[in-house]
Amino acid sequence: MKLHAAAILVIFWLGAFTVKTAKGSAGSQPMRKVSCVRLSTQQLNIRNLVSYEKQQVPVDAIMFITTKGIKICVSPNQKWVRTAVKKIDQERTKRQIIPS
């Protein structure tokens, strides 16, 4: 009887270990980067934009990041978007030049 109980405990332990290992390996995979699939058609206030990322797949887009951390995707072909990108680049350059 004791041998039977020990065998059941070993099988249970192996099952629990397998589930925990599978969960750990799935959780250790890197998360996918956020990407644009739909583009906003509204013009944004350039003063509220702090950063941007360029994207070409799945759609050609610029992802602006606002002062509140909101990410908004827009078409890079619009004039105001090119102006905003240029302004953000200039601000980055200014911050790099100023000694800390």
Side-chain angles (χ1 to χ4, degrees):
M1 182 72 173
K2 289 183 180 181
L3 183 61
H4 183 58
I8 291 173
L9 284 174
V10 169
I11 291 170
F12 176 77
W13 181 80
L14 287 173
F17 179 77
T18 304
V19 170
K20 186 169 183 121
T21 303
K23 285 183 180 178
S25 63
S28 63
Q29 294 179 4
M31 292 181 58
R32 284 185 44 149
K33 188 176 177 181
V34 175
S35 63
C36 302
V37 288
R38 290 185 9 203
L39 303 179
S40 173
T41 56
Q42 294 182 343
Q43 181 171 341
L44 306 173
N45 186 341
I46 293 175
R47 287 179 273 154
N48 294 334
L49 305 176
V50 293
S51 184
Y52 71 90
E53 296 176 16
K54 293 181 180 179
Q55 172 188 300
Q56 293 180 329
V57 177
V59 295
D60 195 23
I62 299 287
M63 180 189 300
F64 282 118
I65 299 143
T66 68
T67 54
K68 294 183 179 181
I70 299 169
K71 297 178 178 182
I72 303 169
C73 300
V74 296
S75 171
N77 302 325
Q78 300 175 63
K79 184 177 180 181
W80 75 267
V81 172
R82 292 189 298 267
T83 303
V85 167
K86 193 178 292 186
K87 179 185 178 279
I88 292 169
D89 287 343
Q90 289 171 346
E91 290 295 322
R92 285 181 184 163
T93 304
K94 283 181 190 176
R95 280 187 250 136
Q96 290 175 354
I97 294 173
I98 299 173
S100 298

